[in-house]
């Protein structure tokens, strides 16, 4: 991951990183006063890269890839970001958007970002509680996550594959996995913490400083996550 070194070298100017997505990105009151993954990432970048790094949360609940395209100029391009983490696809699956249409919209988002000088970073979701989802949801959701992987490879983009880390935990330890979720499609504060640790691993950043009252449970869940899939590499 060369981005971190590039951002460290830019200490004489601002670095802007935008988190662009839907409800799993948006600032919310649903995490009982705890950080979401965007907050954790901001803390880590400012501590370990520099206070010239600014993370901007541009998540809006309910958004699809088409909705991101509709607001990308206002909410992303206008900020002249250095990098944009795109996390979208769950609502598209819920609305039955064909995977080929979704993939085309992700490509267009990447095209616009690159044309503006920003580096697109594609991020998959964690794993929903499929046993509580509607018929056909899992197939569409998995197709959307696979599209992210293929587009990242096709365009030579950084991919943060959260699904690869979360899905084995869901299959192997469903009761433990439920501790990460506040409902069938959203992670809670623990799920956000694990997402953030996966992002830090992918960026080559140090481990999170997990609060003492969460450390035993969070570290136990991370250890079980490690059993099913290796840590993400820079």
């Amino acid at each position: 991951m060369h981005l971190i070194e590039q951002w460290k070298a830019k200490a004489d100017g601002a670095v802007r990183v935008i988190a662009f997505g839907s409800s799993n990105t948006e600032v919310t009151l649903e995490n009982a006063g705890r950080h979401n993954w965007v907050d954790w990432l901001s803390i880590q970048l400012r501590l370990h890269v520099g206070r010239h790094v600014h993370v901007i949360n541009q998540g809006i609940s309910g958004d699809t890839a088409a909705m991101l395209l509709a607001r990308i100029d206002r909410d992303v391009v206008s900020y002249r970001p250095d990098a944009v983490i795109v996390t979208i696809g769950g609502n598209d699956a819920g609305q039955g958007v064909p995977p080929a249409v979704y993939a085309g919209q992700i490509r267009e988002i990447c095209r616009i970002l690159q044309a503006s000088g920003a580096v697109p970073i594609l991020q998959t979701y964690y794993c929903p509680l499929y046993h509580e989802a509607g018929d056909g949801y899992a197939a569409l959701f998995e197709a959307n996550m696979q599209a992210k992987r293929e587009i990242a490879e096709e365009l030579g983009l950084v991919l943060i594959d959260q699904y690869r880390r979360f899905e084995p935990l869901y299959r192997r330890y469903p009761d433990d996995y439920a501790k990460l979720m506040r409902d069938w499609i959203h992670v809670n504060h623990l799920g956000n913490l694990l997402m953030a640790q996966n992002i830090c691993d992918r960026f080559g950043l140090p481990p999170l400083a997990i609060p003492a009252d969460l450390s035993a449970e969070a570290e136990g869940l991370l250890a079980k996550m490690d059993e099913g899939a290796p840590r993400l590499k820079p």
Side-chain angles (χ1 to χ4, degrees), residues 1-5 157-161 164 197-206 230-234:
M1 169 69 65
H2 300 298
L3 284 176
I4 296 299
E5 295 307 316
L157 305 178
V158 173
L159 173 73
I160 304 169
D161 199 345
R164 182 169 70 84
Q197 184 57 67
N198 292 335
I199 296 169
C200 288
D201 290 341
R202 186 70 177 92
F203 280 11
L205 293 167
R231 295 281 179 112
L232 301 181
K233 299 296 185 183

Side-chain angles (χ1 to χ4, degrees), residues 31-216:
N31 285 330
R34 298 285 190 174
H35 298 315
N36 81 345
W37 68 265
V38 185
D39 302 321
W40 278 115
L41 178 60
S42 178
I43 291 167
Q44 289 294 92
L45 288 173
R46 288 175 70 82
L47 280 175
H48 300 290
V49 177
R51 286 176 171 78
H52 62 294
V53 181
H54 305 273
V55 178
I56 302 166
N57 192 321
Q58 293 290 34
I60 294 181
S61 178
D63 268 10
T64 62
M67 293 174 181
L68 296 193
L69 278 170
R71 63 185 180 90
I72 193 169
D73 287 336
R74 182 195 71 186
D75 291 348
V76 178
V77 174
S78 65
Y79 286 83
R80 292 178 296 142
D82 294 85
V84 180
I85 303 173
V86 180
T87 314
I88 200 72
N91 294 318
D92 306 74
Q95 295 182 19
V97 176
V101 173
Y102 167 83
Q105 292 163 343
I106 295 298
R107 284 190 179 88
E108 180 63 7
I109 288 170
C110 293
R111 185 196 67 78
I112 293 169
L113 294 176
Q114 289 178 318
S116 74
V119 174
I121 299 171
L122 299 183
Q123 178 170 234
T124 64
Y125 281 49
Y126 41 85
C127 185
L129 300 180
Y130 285 137
H131 61 280
E132 296 183 17
D135 292 344
Y137 183 85
L140 285 172
F141 184 89
E142 289 179 349
N144 289 350
M145 299 306 103
Q146 182 59 25
K148 282 259 186 82
R149 298 184 189 102
E150 292 173 0
I151 292 167
E153 183 174 3
E154 172 191 326
L155 301 180
L157 305 178
V158 173
L159 173 73
I160 304 169
D161 199 345
Q162 298 282 0
Y163 190 86
R164 182 169 70 84
R165 290 276 287 155
F166 277 82
E167 192 269 349
L169 183 64
Y170 170 66
R171 303 294 183 190
R172 294 159 62 96
Y173 298 104
D175 291 340
D176 286 313
Y177 195 84
K179 298 174 184 177
L180 302 175
M181 306 295 287
R182 62 179 168 88
D183 55 41
W184 74 274
I185 191 60
H186 297 102
V187 288
N188 61 17
H189 62 286
L190 280 171
N192 272 284
L193 191 155
L194 266 61
M195 283 185 72
Q197 184 57 67
N198 292 335
I199 296 169
C200 288
D201 290 341
R202 186 70 177 92
F203 280 11
L205 293 167
L208 301 177
I210 302 175
D213 61 328
L214 295 179
S215 61

